[in-house]
Each structure stands twice: as structure tokens, then as C-alpha cells.
Amino acid sequence: MRGLRIATIGGDGVGPEVIEATLPVLRAAAEASGVSVETVALDWGGEHMLRTGRAMPADGADVLSECDGVLFGAVGRPDIPDDELIWGLIIGLRQALDLAVNVRPVRSWDGVTTAVRTEEPIDFVVVRENTEGEYAGVGGRVGQLGIEVAVHSRTAIERTARYAFDLARQRRGRVSLVTKSNAMRYGYPLWDEVTASVHLDYPDVELEHVLVDAMAARMVQRPGGLDVLLCSNLFGDILSDLAAGLVGGMGMAPSANVLPGRGPGLFEPVHGSAPDIAGAGIANPVACLLSAALLLDHTGVEGAGDRIRSAVTTTLRDPATHTPDLGGTATTTDLSTSVLTNLQQPAGGAPSAPTEHLVSLPTSRR
Ligand code: ATP
């Protein structure tokens, strides 16, 4: 039997709760494809920082490199400044492992109310450059002057664009490049130029250029027609939270951090540590379950990611499984147990949930 070695970092707040709810589902989905899962639990995050002065050990990235994938919960504690933990762990890991691309699928689900009225289902993916742009960490403070420099390189834009075009090819063949090239005269025109040159290799994929402000309005007014959004680090960060809000909130939004063609990837719910509900057992585990599905796609475990997505689809159709953020009264465990049951016994022999709108990642070319 093939085996996967998965590192898990629960982190802070609801992070450990959603990871714990997800692992049995991940394991069952992989085993149904004939793949066993060994997990390596790492206690990194806020508590580790209070204890040792660091959010993770100095050789953290090396430890993760030994694994096939990383499932990450959340980071953030009220008693530690946000930037220290975020840079000490998640942004630090994205940079150390060179996780060049952040992928955030967004879709509407039967049974879950969307924030906007739309005839067509919502089903698009935000592909975000993950290592530089406005989060490059370049700048400084001089008295009352704060300087934050955005860094955009051809290499980073090109690899992100290539990923977006590859993904669009597997989907509905449409990339929307999101910039602000009318007001910002250096970095975003480079995005336009590099993306247009990558597009030459993908004549079968349609490319449109959209300004970020226009895209924000379009996501609310006509989200149905969107397919793949290609974004810089900052714009992808903001638009993907807006997108999560459209389809049921932060508890529904998964993400993948990958270096196409090389692993391991890091997979995490988009939400943070949600200190307001931590410990109450009511966090929605769907974002983490769907992140585990992306991990299985990326590691090339045939059919396992779709198995999780189908089971989540069936579960969400039943309002009795909805956690409070979705308007229900179910607990984290109620929801994840229902997903596990639906995964192991797909609806008593009835056809499994339709998968035509489900999103897979291009398989790792490792
Ligand atoms: P952090 O400082 O770690 O980013 P935060 O509370 O500022 O934490 P989020 O954790 O993203 O940011 O939470 C934003 C809101 O969404 C909170 O009201 C939180 O309760 C809610 N939320 C986030 N994740 C979930 C989840 N998995 N299930 C239910 N509600 C969630």
C-alpha cells in the first residue's frame, strides 16, 4: 500500500479543533484509494512562541520538507501581536518553502445560502502570488513615515500565471487577470506584460484584464461567470475573503499553498484562529475538510479529493448538520461525523453527489 506522510500543525484557537475533525475524513478518503496516511503532529504556533520565543523551531521548514504535505489549522492569539505570529509561522513557511502560489477555490453549495442572488452557481478559483508583492516585507519606519514597498518579479508572476492557465484548461478555460495598472505604473503593468506573454502558450484559454475595484463589484453583482482569477498577493488576499463571504463565510473557504511541480504543499482553511468561538466546539470544519481534499489532489491520490467534496456536498444539503455560522445548531463533530458517514456509505447506493462543479488542483508534477 502506498503511504503518505502528512504533517499537521493545529496552531491556535479553532485550528486544532478543525484539524482533529478533519483527520479521520482525510484518512478514510485516502484509504479508499488504497493509500495509508501517517500523521506527524507539530505543536507550533502561539503557545510554542510563549514557551520558546519562536512560533516554530529554526529548522521548521526542513522538518516539513520530509513530508508529502502539510495540513495547517490557524495562527493567532490575543496575547501575541498578529504580525509576530504570522511572520514567524505562516508567511515564514510560505517564503522558506517557496510556496509560490496560493489557490483558493470558491463555490456555492446546495443548502447553504449565498450572500448574493445569482442565477448561476458560484464556482471560481482565486490564484494568488504568494511570496512577494505588497507582502514582500520591504520597507521601514522613519518616525511618522511608514514605507511599504511592493515587489513584483517576472519569475514570480510567470509561475503564478502558468499555474492559473493550467488550472483554467482543466475548468472552463477563462483567466481574469486582476490588477490596478491604471493607477500603479510599475508593478501591475509588469503583470499585464508577463501574463500576456505566458498566454501565448495557452491559445485555447481566454484572458481578460480587470481592475481590482471593478472585480470587487463584479464578484458581488455577477459572480456566476467567473472562472480563474489571477491576482497579486494583496489583491488575492482581499478578494478571496470577499469570495468566502459570498458563499457562506470564513468557515467554508479552503486554500492550498503550493510550488507547482515540487512539494510538499501547505493546505489551510482561509479563516484565522476565531478566538470568539475557540473551545466551544462549534467551529465549521468545512474549510479544513476541503483543504484536506486539495492536499489529496496535490499528492496525486486518485479520486480521494472528490470523495471528500462529494461527502461534504451531501452533508451540507441537510440543515441539521449546519454549524451556527451557517445558521444551524450542529457542533464541529456533528458536521465532520456526517461527512465521514457519507464518505463511507455514499447515500445508501443512490448516485453520489454531482461533481461537475467541484474543483481539483493540477496534480503535482513531482
Ligand atoms: P485571527 O486574529 O486569527 O485572524 P479573527 O477572529 O480576526 O482571528 P477569523 O478567525 O478569520 O479572524 O474570524 C473572523 C470571523 O469569522 C469570526 O467571527 C469567527 O468566529 C468567524 N469564523 C472564522 N472561522 C470560522 C469557522 N471555522 N467556523 C465558524 N466561524 C468562523
Side-chain angles (χ1 to χ4, degrees):
M1 200 185 210
R2 185 185 155 199
L4 280 183
R5 192 155 192 261
I6 306 295
T8 65
I9 305 172
D12 306 314
V14 297
E17 300 171 38
V18 294
I19 294 274
E20 191 191 332
T22 297
L23 287 180
V25 175
L26 185 154
R27 196 166 270 124
E31 281 172 4
S33 295
V35 175
S36 66
V37 175
E38 178 202 348
T39 52
V40 181
L42 302 166
D43 66 346
W44 304 349
E47 205 267 323
H48 192 277
M49 181 169 249
L50 292 178
R51 207 164 12 96
T52 67
R54 303 182 59 108
M56 65 174 173
D59 65 347
D62 298 335
V63 172
L64 299 185
S65 303
E66 307 284 304
C67 297
D68 295 297
V70 184
L71 190 62
F72 186 91
V75 69
R77 268 179 78 112
D79 51 355
I80 303 181
D82 258 358
D83 64 318
E84 279 181 34
L85 263 180
I86 288 174
W87 276 93
L89 197 53
I90 191 67
I91 296 188
L93 282 177
R94 284 176 186 161
Q95 293 188 342
L97 295 172
D98 199 18
L99 297 169
V101 184
N102 189 298
V103 190
R104 299 183 166 192
V106 179
R107 53 160 294 195
S108 44
W109 300 85
D110 280 357
V112 177
T113 312
T114 50
V116 294
R117 223 180 273 202
T118 165
E119 303 288 299
E120 301 164 89
I122 298 174
D123 176 8
F124 61 88
V125 184
V126 178
V127 173
R128 161 184 166 193
E129 197 288 314
N130 211 22
T131 55
E132 50 179 47
E134 298 79 359
Y135 300 171
V138 177
R141 277 290 298 267
V142 186
Q144 294 309 301
L145 193 61
I147 300 170
E148 196 87 44
V149 179
V151 176
H152 301 274
S153 72
R154 174 172 284 273
T155 307
I157 298 168
E158 186 172 336
R159 59 192 186 177
T160 313
R162 232 166 245 295
Y163 190 90
F165 282 111
D166 280 339
L167 185 62
R169 242 184 202 162
Q170 290 188 1
R171 293 173 45 92
R172 300 192 302 280
R174 187 155 206 226
V175 170
S176 306
L177 169 64
V178 180
T179 67
K180 190 66 186 166
S181 341
N182 59 342
M184 298 167 89
R185 293 187 294 176
Y186 310 108
Y188 286 107
L190 184 66
W191 273 85
D192 288 328
E193 189 185 307
V194 174
T195 304
S197 69
V198 173
H199 185 214
L200 297 176
D201 293 338
Y202 299 84
D204 50 319
V205 177
E206 203 183 311
L207 171 66
E208 62 169 351
H209 297 244
V210 186
L211 296 176
V212 63
D213 37 359
M215 180 56 82
R218 186 158 142 199
M219 274 170 75
V220 176
Q221 289 170 330
R222 289 176 290 120
L226 297 170
D227 186 13
V228 175
L229 275 56
L230 170 58
C231 302
S232 66
N233 211 340
L234 174 68
F235 294 166
D237 191 6
I238 296 169
L239 290 181
S240 51
D241 274 31
L242 170 58
L246 291 181
V247 296
M250 298 304 285
M252 301 292 292
S255 79
N257 300 269
V258 294
L259 178 59
R262 295 219 328 256
L266 186 150
F267 301 80
E268 53 171 338
V270 169
H271 62 76
S273 61
D276 52 334
I277 56 165
I282 54 165
N284 183 348
V286 167
C288 195
L289 289 162
L290 296 175
S291 302
L294 295 173
L295 184 156
L296 291 167
D297 293 341
H298 187 68
T299 45
V301 184
E302 202 67 39
D306 279 345
R307 210 168 276 127
I308 294 182
R309 285 181 284 262
S310 287
V312 168
T313 304
T314 309
T315 290
L316 289 175
R317 286 199 180 119
D318 176 6
T321 66
H322 290 189
T323 43
D325 57 309
L326 301 179
T329 54
T331 63
T332 309
T333 314
D334 294 336
L335 200 162
S336 61
T337 305
S338 164
V339 172
L340 185 60
T341 307
N342 287 323
L343 191 146
Q344 288 169 330
Q345 309 156 1
S352 61
T355 55
E356 67 269 28
H357 294 299
L358 303 183
V359 176
S360 294
L361 289 172
T363 303
S364 163
R365 283 175 232 125
R366 272 188 292 168

